[in-house]
Amino acid sequence: MIEVTQLDGRRVVINGDQVERIEALPDTIISLTSGRKVIVRETVGELLQALVKSRTDRLFGAAPMIGQAMLARSALADTLNIG
């Protein structure tokens, strides 16, 4: 999810996974997979940074949980001597 500013100043949150295309004509237009278009104040570069950050946070936010699960599994295997 990324937060964007519409031309009237309202802040809205859109699902980054639904972004199909971003254009600068000169306003920045976000086309969603639903066919809806959102005109925003942010530049194409700012939106790309927000999308990358959102996806990176989501990916690496899961990493600690995966690491903890692997450690727990390893500890269990050591306890049961099935490592």
Side-chain angles (χ1 to χ4, degrees), residues 4 10 13 17 22 30 42-43 46 48-49 56-57 59-61 64 66 68 72 74 77 80 83:
V4 296
R10 287 186 297 152
V13 177
D17 293 334
I22 302 172
I30 303 171
E42 287 79 11
T43 65
E46 291 169 332
L48 290 175
Q49 284 180 341
T56 302
D57 289 350
L59 176 65
F60 290 109
I66 293 168
Q68 290 172 358
S74 176
L80 299 175

Side-chain angles (χ1 to χ4, degrees), residues 46-75:
E46 291 169 332
L47 292 171
L48 290 175
Q49 284 180 341
L51 287 167
V52 168
K53 182 181 182 322
S54 172
R55 290 183 178 155
T56 302
D57 289 350
R58 189 172 46 192
L59 176 65
F60 290 109
M65 292 183 287
I66 293 168
Q68 290 172 358
M70 290 177 71
L71 284 174
R73 180 177 174 208
S74 176

